[in-house]
Amino acid sequence: MVQQINIIDAKNHVDEEVKIGAWLTDKRSSGKIAFLQLRDGTAFFQGVLVKAAVSEEIFQLGKQLHQEASMWVYGTIHQDTRSKFGYEIEISNLELVGESEGYPITPKEHGVDFLLDHRHLWLRSRRPFAIMKIRNEVIRASYEFFNARGFIKMDAPILTGSAPEGTTELFHTEYFGHDAYLSQSGQLYAEAGALAFDKVFTFGPTFRAEESKTRRHLIEFWMLEPEMAFIHQEQSLEVQEEYVAYLIQNVLDHCDYELDLLERDKDVLKRYTKLPYQRISYDDAVTLLQKNNFDVEWGVDFGSPEETFLADQFEQPVFVLNYPKKIKPFYMKPHPTREDVVICADLLAPEGYGEIIGGSERATDYNYLLEQIKQAGLDPEEYSWYLDLRKYGSVPHAGFGLGLERALTWICGVDHVRETIPFPRLLNRIYP
C-alpha cells in the first residue's frame, strides 16, 4: 500500500512512492510537461506531471485544475536542488477531491486591505503560512521557557471591573447594572497569582480602544505577562532578555523553512540572541535624541521615530530605564532617590519595530498605592482587592508584558502588525 505523507516529510521518502493530500496554488505547462505548485498545510513544493508517464485523462486533469482545487497526489519523491525546499514529486496519478472556481487571491499582486478582507483564504498563501507557523513556535517556546523556570500559567479574566492603566482606552460595557471592561491587561491578577505561587504568567487577548491606524497597533492583541515575587527590577530585566533571546533562538532552530519563505535575514536574528542587551536611562535617551536633532523634551513619551533611532544605535534590543512618573501607570514603584521617575523599562526592538516589552517593579506600599489610585481618577473601592495584596504580606515583585503580535512583526521582519493575527477580528477591521 502507498504510504500517505506530508510534504514537509518528503526528505524522508526520497525515491519512494507516496500519496499526499494537497491543494493547487499555481501551475504552468509546456506541451508535454506540467508543473503543479502544491501545498498541504505543512509546506509547499512542486509536482511534475509528464505526459508520456501518465494516461491522457490524468494529464488533461492536471492541466485543467484551477487554483486551490484539492486532490490526492500519487507519485515518487525526488531531490530538487533548484528549489529552496529541495524536493519535488514526480506525479503518477491524480484524484480530484474538491474543485475550485474563481479563487479571488490570484498570483498577481494584491493590496493589504484586499488580502485582509479575504484573510480566511489568504492564510493559505506562503507569507501568512510562514508567519502563522512562526507564531505557533513563539507560543510553544514561551510556554517551554516559563514552565522550565517554575512559572505557573494563570488565566486572567477578559471581562473586568477595573483597569490597570486607566479607563480612557478601555471598551466599556454594562454587566447586570455594573460597569465592566474588556481586559486591558492581566497584570493586576498576575500580581495576586505571584503572591500565591511565587512566579506566574498570563497569556490571553487584550484590548485597547485606540482609533489607531498605524502599522504597529492593534485594537485586539495577545499579551504574555509574567509576574515574579521576591525580585527587583534588574532581575526582571534579566528574565526579559533571556526570554526574548530564547524565542529568537527557537525560531532559528525550528522555523528555518518559514524564515526562508519570508526572506528574513537569519544572521541579523542571530545577533539578537547575544546577551546582555544594552541599558540606557530615559534621561540619557532624551539627551541622545536632542543631540541628534530630535525635537523632544524631558517628560514626553517617545514615538516611533525616537524609538527607532534609539534601538538602531545598538543594533540589538535596548532597555530604556526609568520613565517619568507622570506618563506611566499608577502601580509602578517610585524611584528611591527621585520623585519624578518610576522603576520601569521598555524594551525597544531594532529595525524600526519599537517597544516589544513594557515592565516595571510594582509599588508595594499600601498608602502610596492608594494615593496613586486616587490621583489617577480611579475608584479605590474597585481596587480594594488589589490593595489587599499590600496589606497582607507585601513583598518586592516585578513583571512585564510582551505583545505577541508586535514581537512577531519584528521577528518575521514584516511590514504590518495585522499580518501576524490569524483572522481580522471585528475590532481590528473597524480601526485597522
Side-chain angles (χ1 to χ4, degrees):
M1 178 180 289
V2 177
Q3 183 178 355
Q4 181 179 338
I5 70 164
N6 289 119
I7 293 174
I8 197 66
D9 297 320
K11 61 183 180 295
N12 302 321
H13 299 275
V14 175
D15 297 329
E16 295 180 15
E17 292 187 21
V18 299
K19 170 185 177 182
I20 299 174
W23 291 265
L24 181 75
T25 65
D26 200 1
K27 71 175 189 293
R28 61 184 176 86
S29 60
S30 56
K32 297 181 179 180
I33 190 169
F35 300 96
L36 309 184
Q37 302 303 317
L38 305 170
R39 67 172 188 87
D40 74 339
T42 69
F44 298 76
F45 79 163
Q46 178 172 265
V48 181
L49 188 62
V50 180
K51 184 173 184 179
V54 298
S55 68
E56 181 65 20
E57 179 184 6
I58 294 301
F59 188 73
Q60 291 303 319
L61 172 61
K63 290 185 65 176
Q64 294 167 12
L65 288 170
H66 297 117
Q67 186 181 1
E68 285 304 315
S70 57
M71 70 202 84
W72 287 110
V73 181
Y74 298 83
T76 303
I77 300 294
H78 297 300
Q79 285 189 304
D80 178 16
T81 56
R82 297 162 300 177
S83 75
K84 286 185 177 181
F85 184 69
Y87 302 90
E88 65 182 14
I89 185 169
E90 181 184 351
I91 299 172
S92 60
N93 193 18
L94 294 171
E95 292 179 9
L96 181 64
V97 176
E99 183 53 278
S100 173
E101 294 279 356
Y103 187 70
I105 305 177
T106 58
K108 71 175 185 179
E109 287 288 327
H110 296 282
V112 171
D113 288 336
F114 175 85
L115 293 171
L116 287 171
D117 284 342
H118 295 84
R119 181 62 161 175
H120 56 294
L121 299 176
W122 188 34
L123 282 171
R124 305 178 183 192
S125 301
R126 282 175 169 79
R127 184 179 175 91
F129 165 86
I131 294 170
M132 290 303 108
K133 291 292 289 290
I134 293 172
R135 180 188 176 108
N136 183 69
E137 175 58 25
V138 167
I139 294 171
R140 186 207 65 78
S142 294
Y143 275 76
E144 183 176 80
F145 178 88
F146 290 108
N147 286 338
R149 287 157 179 77
F151 284 72
I152 298 294
K153 166 69 163 60
M154 302 195 74
D155 297 314
I158 296 175
L159 200 61
T160 71
S162 56
E165 299 184 14
T167 59
T168 57
E169 295 177 358
L170 283 176
F171 287 100
H172 173 263
T173 187
E174 189 174 280
Y175 182 74
F176 298 104
H178 297 277
D179 288 331
Y181 307 93
L182 290 178
S183 176
Q184 194 180 46
S185 167
Q187 179 212 308
L188 303 191
Y189 300 96
E191 288 188 54
L195 271 60
F197 298 101
D198 184 48
K199 291 180 289 190
V200 302
F201 71 98
T202 67
F203 181 55
T206 53
F207 304 85
R208 302 288 167 90
E210 298 176 300
E211 297 184 21
S212 175
K213 293 189 178 183
T214 76
R215 68 184 183 92
R216 289 184 175 189
H217 294 89
L218 291 170
I219 302 302
E220 178 185 353
F221 58 98
W222 283 66
M223 182 85 82
L224 190 140
E225 298 177 276
E227 198 74 27
M228 299 157 282
F230 291 102
I231 73 163
H232 293 289
Q233 175 71 343
E234 182 55 37
Q235 295 164 282
S236 176
L237 296 183
E238 291 172 2
V239 173
Q240 293 173 45
E241 62 189 1
E242 289 171 6
Y243 171 49
V244 171
Y246 188 86
L247 292 182
I248 294 172
Q249 188 60 59
N250 274 267
V251 169
L252 286 166
D253 291 344
H254 301 122
C255 299
D256 186 71
Y257 172 64
E258 289 77 14
L259 291 171
D260 281 343
L261 287 177
L262 294 172
E263 298 182 340
R264 184 61 161 128
D265 190 330
K266 284 175 265 190
D267 288 332
V268 170
L269 286 179
K270 288 175 185 175
R271 192 166 68 221
Y272 304 150
T273 65
K274 308 302 181 185
L275 299 179
Y277 296 153
Q278 293 290 319
R279 283 111 162 105
I280 181 174
S281 71
Y282 173 88
D283 296 344
D284 289 342
V286 169
T287 300
L288 180 60
L289 289 166
Q290 290 173 342
K291 287 181 177 178
N292 286 275
N293 301 315
F294 281 87
D295 184 19
V296 296
E297 296 180 356
W298 195 98
V300 302
D301 205 356
F302 299 141
S304 175
E306 292 80 15
E307 289 182 346
T308 296
F309 174 82
L310 290 170
D312 286 348
Q313 303 313 295
F314 303 94
E315 296 188 335
Q316 264 195 315
V318 57
F319 287 109
V320 179
L321 310 179
N322 303 338
Y323 281 73
K325 179 179 177 180
K326 66 181 181 180
I327 62 172
K328 287 298 182 181
F330 68 88
Y331 52 74
M332 294 185 177
K333 188 176 182 67
H335 194 278
T337 62
R338 293 178 56 179
E339 294 185 357
D340 56 346
V341 298
V342 287
I343 303 174
C344 67
D346 287 351
L347 182 62
L348 309 182
E351 302 179 80
Y353 290 95
E355 178 195 343
I356 56 170
I357 286 180
S360 74
E361 191 165 337
R362 316 310 190 189
T364 55
D365 181 82
Y366 179 94
N367 292 325
Y368 173 83
L369 189 58
L370 176 60
E371 182 60 29
Q372 295 307 302
I373 289 171
K374 291 178 180 178
Q375 288 187 14
L378 302 172
D379 181 0
E381 184 61 30
E382 294 291 338
Y383 293 85
S384 60
W385 67 272
Y386 185 64
L387 289 164
D388 278 349
L389 304 179
R390 277 70 181 174
K391 288 174 63 178
Y392 307 110
S394 182
V395 301
H397 61 289
F400 61 93
L402 174 137
L404 176 65
E405 286 82 3
R406 179 82 66 82
L408 275 169
T409 305
W410 168 53
I411 293 171
C412 294
V414 297
D415 296 328
H416 207 299
V417 69
R418 283 183 293 170
E419 293 190 68
T420 65
I421 57 176
F423 298 100
R425 305 173 184 103
L426 175 62
L427 296 175
N428 289 324
R429 289 167 66 97
I430 296 173
Y431 295 114

